[in-house]
Amino acid sequence: MNGLPILYSFRRCPYAMRARMAVLASGVAVELREVVLRAKPDAMLAASPKGTVPVLVLADGRVVDESLEIMRWALAVCDPLDWLGGDDAALIADCDATFKHHLDRYKYPERHGSDPDEHRAAGVAWLSGLEARLAHAANLCGDAVGLADIAIFPFVRQFAATDRAWFDTQALPRVRAWLAAHVGSPLFDRAMLRVPRWQAGDAPVRLG
Ligand SMILES: N[C@@H](CCC(=O)N[C@@H](CS)C(=O)NCC(=O)O)C(=O)O
């Protein structure tokens, strides 16, 4: 597999999930390197010293180290499902800023010194915006699955899983159905493939 782009990833990271899904949807072949966040490989840090996953290292040495940029790079190569037809950069940016802020402070109050109830309520308020959008169509930018859905649902999945019984009592029936469809999709299943932690010298593992 020499010459394939290399994707450094962490299975449970929502940013890495959306990058893996876009790569899979594009059909672009990449070598998948599963990392452990507390022991990031030197090769990854040499490519991207900021030390976040995902990181894509292209065959010509260029480095793409933001998950959305990896999604857009893969879909620019090939977009057979027309995910770029379901893009909403402003909504995705708001998810990454506002919703992620509340998600972290709800899920990890001890890390942030935060009041989880306050941030849980703010998260639900943000999700009620999605609920309103989903009144018009099955997905965020229309009936077809698009980039916005894939960029956002991994974070909603984390939020829902923090206290599933409570989440299920919230007035978010369309968000729940939308989330279930994405979590239950064969593509998500493929993106959540379990691979051993990568170490230098390992035989390459291909995503997909
Ligand atoms: N803006 C980045 C954020 C990526 C990010 O924060 N990933 C987390 C894992 S979910 C990470 O690598 N954190 C570094 C660490 O925990 O050491 C992106 O979209 O790729």
Side-chain angles (χ1 to χ4, degrees):
M1 287 206 291
N2 278 351
L4 284 188
I6 295 166
L7 182 65
Y8 292 96
S9 177
F10 174 55
R11 184 175 176 273
R12 300 204 327 264
C13 165
Y15 298 102
M17 284 175 200
R18 68 189 187 182
R20 294 195 303 271
M21 287 192 76
V23 168
L24 283 168
S26 73
V28 174
V30 304
E31 178 186 336
L32 180 65
R33 294 185 176 178
E34 175 73 12
V35 311
V36 172
L37 293 178
R38 64 174 181 282
K40 292 162 193 152
D42 292 342
M44 180 187 124
L45 292 172
S48 177
K50 77 183 168 90
T52 61
V53 289
V55 175
L56 183 70
V57 182
L58 300 178
D60 65 7
R62 274 179 301 149
V63 175
V64 188
D65 62 4
E66 282 293 322
S67 56
L68 271 177
E69 288 172 22
I70 295 172
M71 295 181 85
R72 292 185 190 286
W73 172 84
L75 297 171
V77 174
C78 196
D79 184 16
L81 304 174
D82 189 28
W83 280 7
L84 291 173
D87 193 357
D88 185 333
L91 183 68
I92 298 169
D94 197 36
C95 170
D96 287 13
T98 311
F99 185 63
K100 179 72 162 82
H101 172 89
H102 294 305
L103 168 62
D104 287 347
R105 283 155 186 78
Y106 162 41
K107 191 169 159 68
Y108 305 110
E110 64 296 338
R111 273 188 214 169
H112 295 278
S114 51
D115 172 359
D117 292 347
E118 176 193 328
H119 291 284
R120 183 166 85 164
V124 168
W126 194 86
L127 289 174
S128 66
L130 299 194
E131 184 71 17
R133 283 176 85 119
L134 293 169
H136 307 293
N139 283 289
L140 295 175
C141 296
D143 279 327
V145 175
L147 177 66
D149 302 289
I150 304 304
I152 292 172
F153 93 81
F155 298 92
V156 180
R157 174 179 175 268
Q158 263 195 357
F159 186 89
T162 302
D163 182 345
R164 187 70 216 202
W166 173 85
F167 184 77
D168 285 344
T169 66
Q170 300 306 297
L172 298 168
R174 294 186 183 92
V175 169
R176 270 195 296 280
W178 166 84
L179 179 62
H182 287 288
V183 170
S185 78
L187 199 67
F188 185 60
D189 225 39
R190 288 171 62 206
M192 294 305 280
L193 161 89
R194 284 180 195 278
V195 294
R197 169 188 177 180
W198 177 79
Q199 286 178 308
D202 281 355
V205 171
R206 193 168 149 160
L207 175 64

